[in-house]
Amino acid sequence: MSANRTCSHDALPDLQGIPGLPMDRSVFVIPNWNESFVGMTECCTPNEVHISGEDGFEGCVLWCLIPDSILKGKDGKKGDKDAVLADIRNCVKNKGGLSSFISGGQVKDNAASSKM
C-alpha cells in the first residue's frame, strides 16, 4: 500500500540511490502515490511492488522487476530497451489512470525478471 505522505510526482533519485533495487536486473521505478501504486500493482504482476527511497525520498519510490510478459515479445526474445520501458510505462499510465509522471528503469540482458 502506498505511504500516507506527500511524494513529488516529478522527482526520483538516481537508480543507484534506491535501497534494495537490484542493479543487475530489469526494473521500473516511479514516484509513490495512490494511482501509481494501483498501476504498478497491475502491471508488475506476478512480481512484487516495493516501496523504497531515502535522503528525501523516504517511502516515495515504487519499484518492481519488469515482468517477462513485458520484457519478451511474442517471439519469446527480449524486447528493445526503449520499447520495454515504454510498454511498462504505458501499462502503469493506463491501469493507474495517470496523465503525466516521471519514471525510470533499466533493461538488462541477463535472465528473465521473475526468477531470482
Side-chain angles (χ1 to χ4, degrees):
M1 175 178 263
S2 64
N4 289 331
R5 62 175 294 141
T6 302
C7 297
S8 172
H9 297 196
D10 300 317
L12 283 172
D14 290 334
L15 293 180
Q16 295 85 359
I18 301 173
L21 189 86
M23 294 305 298
D24 61 339
R25 306 298 297 280
S26 296
V27 296
F28 185 71
V29 300
I30 186 172
N32 181 15
W33 73 95
N34 290 339
E35 294 83 1
S36 65
F37 188 81
V38 169
M40 288 285 281
T41 301
E42 291 281 329
C43 298
C44 293
T45 299
N47 299 327
E48 182 180 353
V49 175
H50 303 269
I51 300 173
S52 190
E54 63 183 13
D55 297 331
F57 290 96
E58 293 86 357
C60 287
V61 177
L62 298 177
W63 69 268
C64 73
L65 297 175
I66 299 173
D68 290 342
S69 60
I70 294 175
L71 275 176
K72 296 181 179 181
K74 291 182 174 78
D75 59 3
K77 295 180 181 175
K78 188 162 286 195
D80 169 79
K81 173 188 173 185
D82 293 334
V84 167
L85 293 175
D87 285 352
I88 192 163
R89 181 180 167 83
N90 286 332
C91 181
V92 171
K93 177 182 175 185
N94 294 334
K95 299 286 185 178
L98 307 173
S99 56
S100 66
F101 57 95
I102 189 171
S103 63
Q106 64 184 15
V107 177
K108 296 291 186 173
D109 291 331
N110 61 348
S113 68
S114 56
K115 296 176 184 168
M116 291 197 89

